[in-house]
Amino acid sequence: MSRKIVVTGIGATTPLGGDAQSTWRALLAGESGISTLEQPWIEKYEVPVTFAGQAKVAANQILTPQEAKRLDPSSQFALIAAREAWADAGKPDVAPERLAVEFATGIGGVWTLLDAFETLQERGPRRVLPMTVPMLMPNGPAAAVGMDIAARGGVRTAVSACASSTEAVANALDRLLSGAVDVVVAGGCEAAIHPLPISAFAAMHALSKKNDTPASASRPYDVNRDGFVMGEGGAALVLETEEHALARGAKIYAELAGGAVTSDAHHITAPDPEGTGAARAVIAALKQAEASIQDVVHINAHATSTPVGDIAEYVALKRVFGDHLQNIVVSATKSSTGHLLGGAGAVEAIFTILALKERVAPPTLNLDDQDPEIVLDVATSPRKLPDGPILAISNSFGFGGHNAVVVFRSYEG
Amino acid sequence: MALSQSEVLAGLAEIVNDETGISADAVALEKSFVDDLDIDSISMMTIVVNAEDKFGVKIPDEEVKNLITVGDAVNFIVGAQD
């Protein structure tokens, strides 16, 4: 008997909104979450990139001061998103031992680490706060979420750069399919709008330098794309077995039908130009979903707006879908949100789920002049998706040669 | 000029409130940090470091384990002031 896994709750805090629905509405409305940074450190360090996608609603407006004090900003976003998703799912009544967390981050508690080093330098080791270690560790967000919902079925953190939270969703699927647990809160977060990561990403020419036009800087597939735009926030999904969801009368957004992870072993940062690793991930995820390529009507692409990355993903998709690719509506939502790194996959999983549920592919901003080498049908305004059972995939790729793909299927109750 | 016991108590209560959210009024001399106020060791160390800053005293690590109640801490700080 094959077991189905379904999505019963969503939550997000992003540059577009403080919750999943307002994020989605802003996305459909074609809003940009990207703006010029006003922080004093921009000038102090002469940071070469002066804009990013900051969380629309600051975490300290949601959490109590004592909660915020003990959590790195990345964990704060995780907790906010997870609480929303958990409430949205109706706070499932599940034995703690049957409840797990898969919560990812790309970088971890970088603010905590660097603040603590500043304290050490300026005031000595005695003044380094004892909460520093639990706040900076990459599993901090997962642990915070796990404690909040009393998950005792395992709390884990996938760390695979910008593929992290798609990998977390794929890992959640495995745990649910294996029968180990009944419910998993899966997601990802990132809070790296800090002068050091910005400088480091800029040093490798990964970031857009369109400082004068922040809202149109993230332009996936456009001939004038010049790099990604950093974003921050978090997103979470409540995933559970269909059996468990139906037994408690939960609302169901979509089915998580497949997930796969592969690796390139090609280059530490550059994507494999042949796209074979990414293609294998798509094929494996579709196979797990027992789907054919013709079933796929929508792709939420990784599409970060880097010159080489967008092409490499296209090559991989072409390899998998061939001529059918022209029938698939592609959305590159980082054009609105920026790139949430370890949080990106979870945000985009939510977009993919809502696209299936509401039968609309969200728009891609700033695509004024599509790269002739990238032959994709990109939605530049909200695009109707077909009725009946449909399938969509969400891709994420990360430095290190990580490829992660998840497949969602529309759910007919 | 040295602070009085009630002034140190008020200052310490503020630190405890800031770290844990416990109402400053609840931070009374006879209260135990662990048993009454439910303050864990990590918060306790943060409170100690913040108290050192605020009151300009040194609270050695080996002394912290003897500070069972709020009164123990207040009296130590009062005595440690110049």
Side-chain angles (χ1 to χ4, degrees), chain A residues 8-9 11 78-79 81-87 89 92 94 98-104 141-142 145-146 149 151 154-156 168-169 172 176 181-188 235-240:
Chain A
T8 56
L79 193 55
R83 281 179 177 167
E84 184 197 349
W86 191 243
V94 53
R98 304 287 301 169
L99 171 63
V101 172
E102 294 280 348
F103 223 96
V145 171
I149 58 171
V155 167
R156 308 193 302 187
V169 173
L176 289 159
V181 291
D182 298 317
V183 183
V184 179
V185 174
L237 291 74
V238 176
L239 303 166
E240 60 186 298

Side-chain angles (χ1 to χ4, degrees), chain A residues 118-394:
Chain A
E118 206 173 287
T119 302
L120 172 67
Q121 287 176 307
E122 290 173 5
R123 306 177 65 204
R126 176 83 174 155
R127 294 294 177 270
V128 173
L129 289 171
M131 273 304 287
T132 302
V133 170
M135 284 171 69
L136 73 81
M137 62 194 193
N139 54 318
V145 171
M147 283 175 61
D148 202 60
I149 58 171
R152 302 205 167 95
V155 167
R156 308 193 302 187
T157 299
V159 179
S160 49
C162 305
S164 298
S165 56
T166 297
E167 183 169 346
V169 173
N171 289 346
L173 178 61
D174 284 347
R175 293 219 73 202
L176 289 159
L177 287 174
S178 77
V181 291
D182 298 317
V183 183
V184 179
V185 174
C189 58
E190 206 73 74
I193 301 177
H194 176 289
L196 183 71
I198 291 179
S199 301
F201 279 119
M204 66 195 299
H205 300 288
L207 292 181
S208 169
K209 293 190 170 67
K210 297 180 188 295
N211 287 331
D212 297 332
T213 52
S216 61
S218 183
R219 41 197 317 114
Y221 308 135
D222 190 89
V223 287
N224 292 315
R225 69 189 185 278
D226 71 332
F228 78 82
V229 176
M230 189 108 86
E232 66 175 3
L237 291 74
V238 176
L239 303 166
E240 60 186 298
T241 61
E242 182 186 40
E243 189 184 3
H244 194 271
L246 291 178
R248 68 183 188 86
K251 71 169 182 293
I252 293 172
Y253 284 92
E255 179 192 352
L256 171 58
V261 171
T262 66
S263 48
D264 287 347
H266 166 73
H267 185 273
I268 189 64
T269 56
D272 174 357
E274 303 295 316
T276 50
R280 279 188 295 118
V282 174
I283 291 166
L286 287 173
K287 189 173 176 202
Q288 186 173 33
E290 296 175 358
S292 75
I293 58 170
Q294 281 78 19
D295 297 329
V296 177
V297 300
H298 172 55
I299 295 173
N300 189 305
H302 185 60
T304 64
S305 181
T306 62
V308 294
D310 290 7
I311 286 198
E313 183 177 18
Y314 165 69
V315 169
L317 292 173
K318 185 74 187 170
R319 187 179 280 275
V320 175
F321 292 99
D323 291 341
H324 177 64
L325 190 54
Q326 294 321 303
N327 306 322
I328 297 175
V329 183
V330 176
S331 297
T333 49
K334 289 184 181 81
S335 57
S336 289
T337 60
H339 189 353
L340 275 69
L341 311 178
V347 172
E348 289 154 21
I350 288 176
F351 292 160
T352 310
I353 290 159
L354 291 174
L356 290 175
K357 185 158 190 296
E358 299 191 5
R359 307 276 165 170
V360 58
T364 301
L365 304 188
N366 308 318
L367 183 55
D368 298 329
D369 191 0
Q370 188 164 340
D371 187 333
E373 287 185 52
I374 300 175
V375 189
L376 289 173
D377 180 13
V378 183
T380 53
S381 57
R383 185 90 68 84
K384 174 97 178 68
L385 293 176
D387 297 330
I390 53 173
L391 219 70
I393 69 171
S394 177

Side-chain angles (χ1 to χ4, degrees), chain A residues 66 69-70 123 126-127, chain B residues 18 43 52-53 59 61:
Chain A
Q66 283 71 37
K69 198 188 288 281
R70 284 192 155 212
R123 306 177 65 204
R126 176 83 174 155
R127 294 294 177 270
Chain B
D18 188 48
S43 279
E52 288 185 338
D53 271 358
I59 308 174
D61 284 350

